[in-house]
Amino acid sequence: MTFENLAHVAPANGSTMPAPDAGTDYLGADHVAAFRASAAITAARAFYAGVPRGPVTFGDEQPVPTDSTPADRLAAYLGRNLTGTIRA
C-alpha cells in the first residue's frame, strides 16, 4: 500500500514514479511511519493543490491539533471543521 500511495502521488506532484521492484525498501525500520508519510493527506495535497475552494468543491483548510489522526488531517485539509470533535 505504501508503494501504491507513492506511485499515485508522483505524477500529481511532478516527481518520478518509484520503481515497482522487490529490491527497494519503501518501509524502512518504521513501517507505520512510512505508511503515514505516504498516506491519503499527501495524495490529497498533491491532487487537489490547484483546485479552487468554495461551496462547490472543498472548504478552506481547517486547523488541527498536532496529535490528530491521519483521517482527521485529511478531513481538515478538505475543509471539515474539527472543532469539538469527540476523540477516543
Side-chain angles (χ1 to χ4, degrees):
M1 291 181 72
T2 301
F3 171 78
E4 287 295 322
N5 290 341
L6 296 170
H8 289 291
V9 169
N13 67 19
S15 62
T16 303
M17 186 177 289
D21 63 75
T24 302
D25 181 7
Y26 294 104
L27 297 176
D30 189 343
H31 298 162
V32 174
F35 177 76
R36 286 185 178 155
S38 72
I41 186 66
T42 304
R45 287 187 184 280
F47 283 109
Y48 299 116
V51 174
R53 295 185 178 248
V56 177
T57 58
F58 305 110
D60 292 332
E61 184 172 0
Q62 300 297 309
V64 293
T66 56
D67 65 341
S68 294
T69 66
D72 284 348
R73 290 182 186 284
L74 177 60
Y77 175 73
L78 298 175
R80 177 136 186 198
N81 184 339
L82 300 176
T83 303
T85 300
I86 297 172
R87 302 171 79 84

